Amino acid sequence: MRLLALTLALFVFSKPALAGIQDKVAAVAPSGVVLVLDKEGDDLVAQNADQDFVPASVAKVVTAWLALEVLGADYRFKTHFYLDSDRVLYVRGGGDPFLVSEELALLAPELVAVTGKEPFTSLVLDTSYYPADLRIPGIEDTDEAYDALNSALAVNFNTIHAVRRGNSVRSAEKQTPITPLAVSQFRERGPKGRGRISLAQEDPSVGVRYAGELLVAFVEQAGGSVEGEISIGSVPENLAPVHVHHQSRPLSEILTQLMLGSNNYIANQIFLEIGAYRLGGPVSLEKSLQIAEKVFAEHDIVEAIELKEGSGISPENRFSTYGLAKVLQQFAPHAELLPKTRAGSRYKTGTIPGVRTLAGYANTSKHGLVPFVISLGGSTGKTRFRVLRTIERGL
């Protein structure tokens, strides 16, 4: 009887308490979509939770979860190198999203150690792992760094970070040598002063050639050289790799950087790898969407998560609130990959015109870390964090 009485008392107490937090959330964002679940999957807060919404960059949480499910936390992207009898160096890109200057500084000495310091006669860049007609929905033809094209072989997220003073261009990064193509591109399209631009979308070969130039610069720093031209072509079928570079960062570390910087290029490089890993290369959006749907089916959320690409940049992505919450329940063991608020909540933001989203794990005193989803309209993102603070304090 005492146990029954205690249970009834807790029930009677919890209803007003939950009603109180519901009212507080409604006071902050009366038309917002808000859902908070406890660890058993029961509603703690549910406001307009039956509405689908555009996730914006919150979609990256789904991409990260899919990548961990399919590729695994220790997965490392690879870049293959080949050398023929005439010392022509071939590079076959493998879609490494983090082939940045610091990575080339590690790669180049390894390559020179394997191949020797005798000059390479030329450099051929093989990008066949990504089809030439690959396009990501939502990526526009702009100079914005966040609109960089996805590519089998690109460096520094297919962007150039430089400083322009008049006709003079220098690198904005001490770790990145300036190259002739970087100078010409920044003179043509870069802002005055410091800035970052994506490589020209109307000609994807520009980004590939820039990757070749930057690789040559790091090979020279390592004591090697390339005497001839840089071109785009195919690796001869009879050649075996002389060196395979494994990305120094495992997937888990790349995902941490993705959640922090919310880079659309990185997100879709990872998303494209999901399909090719299961179904073989070359990559395609269709392959990755096919694998994503299989994983969704395994968790009974096929109808709840509609992806068009992996970054959230497309406004055609549509999630149900409970569908995303279910993904968050599955992703919970990896919550530490997400940025943290002062109160200890883990979160991912999403922002496109007219859409402000926030999702992750609210740190509450009574329930611990619990999954939450917030989707608001409007032009300010501050309200979503006010809702989160209300949840943190009220639960």
Side-chain angles (χ1 to χ4, degrees):
M1 291 294 293
R2 290 179 60 191
L3 179 60
L4 176 60
L6 178 60
T7 301
L8 289 173
L10 287 173
F11 177 78
V12 170
F13 173 77
S14 64
K15 286 297 183 180
L18 292 180
I21 182 64
Q22 192 93 16
D23 290 343
K24 290 176 182 178
V25 167
V28 175
S31 61
V33 173
V34 182
L35 177 65
V36 185
L37 302 181
D38 65 18
K39 292 183 178 179
E40 286 70 45
D42 296 322
D43 294 357
L44 292 172
V45 179
Q47 174 179 287
N48 302 319
D50 58 343
Q51 295 182 14
D52 291 351
F53 66 98
V54 177
S57 279
V58 162
K60 291 180 174 73
V61 175
V62 176
T63 293
W65 171 62
L66 288 168
L68 291 167
E69 289 282 302
V70 175
L71 304 174
D74 294 329
Y75 183 79
R76 294 175 191 263
F77 286 84
K78 303 176 186 67
T79 305
H80 290 74
F81 294 84
Y82 305 77
L83 192 64
D84 70 12
S85 58
D86 296 321
R87 286 193 66 80
V88 175
L89 179 66
Y90 295 84
V91 184
R92 176 174 285 159
D96 188 341
F98 239 88
L99 202 57
V100 293
S101 296
E102 294 89 340
E103 195 69 23
L104 293 177
L106 298 175
L107 182 160
E110 296 173 353
L111 179 63
V112 171
V114 170
T115 58
K117 292 186 177 181
E118 182 183 346
F120 300 117
T121 57
S122 61
L123 177 63
V124 180
L125 308 171
D126 185 336
T127 61
S128 58
Y129 190 52
Y130 276 40
D133 60 352
L134 176 69
R135 289 296 181 272
I136 302 298
I139 297 293
E140 307 297 336
D141 292 335
T142 74
D143 293 340
E144 300 291 349
Y146 54 76
D147 281 335
L149 283 179
N150 291 97
S151 176
L153 183 61
V155 293
N156 293 327
F157 319 120
N158 222 356
T159 65
I160 297 170
H161 190 197
V163 179
R164 180 161 69 95
R165 297 277 187 268
N167 208 36
S168 172
V169 176
R170 62 177 175 83
S171 176
E173 305 166 343
K174 63 180 181 180
Q175 72 272 22
T176 305
I178 199 72
T179 75
L181 190 147
V183 171
S184 64
Q185 285 289 305
F186 216 81
R187 280 176 178 167
E188 180 182 342
R189 301 186 293 115
K192 293 180 180 179
R194 181 185 296 265
R196 186 182 293 273
I197 61 170
S198 66
L199 276 301
Q201 293 207 20
E202 63 273 13
D203 184 3
S205 69
V206 172
V208 181
R209 288 188 286 114
Y210 175 59
E213 283 191 359
L214 200 57
L215 174 62
V216 169
F218 278 98
V219 166
E220 290 174 349
Q221 287 185 8
S225 63
V226 178
E227 291 183 336
E229 295 183 351
I230 299 171
S231 62
I232 299 173
S234 300
V235 176
E237 292 185 4
N238 63 325
L239 284 185
V242 292
H243 180 61
V244 179
H245 178 75
H246 294 72
Q247 167 60 238
S248 64
R249 299 168 179 82
L251 178 64
S252 58
E253 187 176 333
I254 292 176
L255 291 176
T256 299
Q257 295 300 318
L258 171 63
M259 295 306 173
L260 188 63
S262 202
N263 185 292
N264 294 327
Y265 168 84
I266 296 173
N268 275 312
Q269 294 286 116
I270 294 169
F271 187 67
L272 289 166
E273 187 67 9
I274 290 168
Y277 181 78
R278 283 275 180 92
L279 301 176
V283 306
S284 76
L285 200 54
E286 293 71 23
K287 287 178 182 177
S288 291
L289 292 172
Q290 180 181 336
I291 296 305
E293 189 162 324
K294 286 185 177 180
V295 177
F296 295 157
E298 292 169 3
H299 296 274
D300 196 28
I301 54 172
V302 170
E303 302 299 326
I305 303 289
E306 184 179 355
L307 276 181
K308 299 298 183 182
E309 46 82 40
S311 72
I313 196 170
S314 172
E316 295 183 11
N317 292 318
R318 300 288 298 189
F319 289 3
S320 84
T321 313
Y322 283 97
L324 179 56
K326 194 165 185 178
V327 170
L328 288 167
Q329 288 175 314
Q330 299 296 319
F331 190 70
H334 308 287
E336 74 279 356
L337 299 179
L338 299 175
K340 186 165 63 171
T341 69
R342 290 181 180 178
S345 297
R346 298 285 181 167
Y347 70 93
K348 179 71 192 78
T349 59
T351 305
I352 59 176
V355 174
R356 301 293 185 271
T357 56
L358 188 69
Y361 308 91
N363 191 22
T364 66
S365 59
K366 298 182 183 71
H367 303 276
L369 280 176
V370 291
F372 75 90
V373 179
I374 300 168
S375 176
L376 311 176
S379 58
T380 177
K382 293 181 179 180
T383 304
R384 56 191 165 180
F385 283 98
R386 288 178 59 204
V387 174
L388 176 56
R389 286 194 294 271
T390 301
I391 293 166
E392 290 170 337
R393 294 166 183 168
L395 292 173

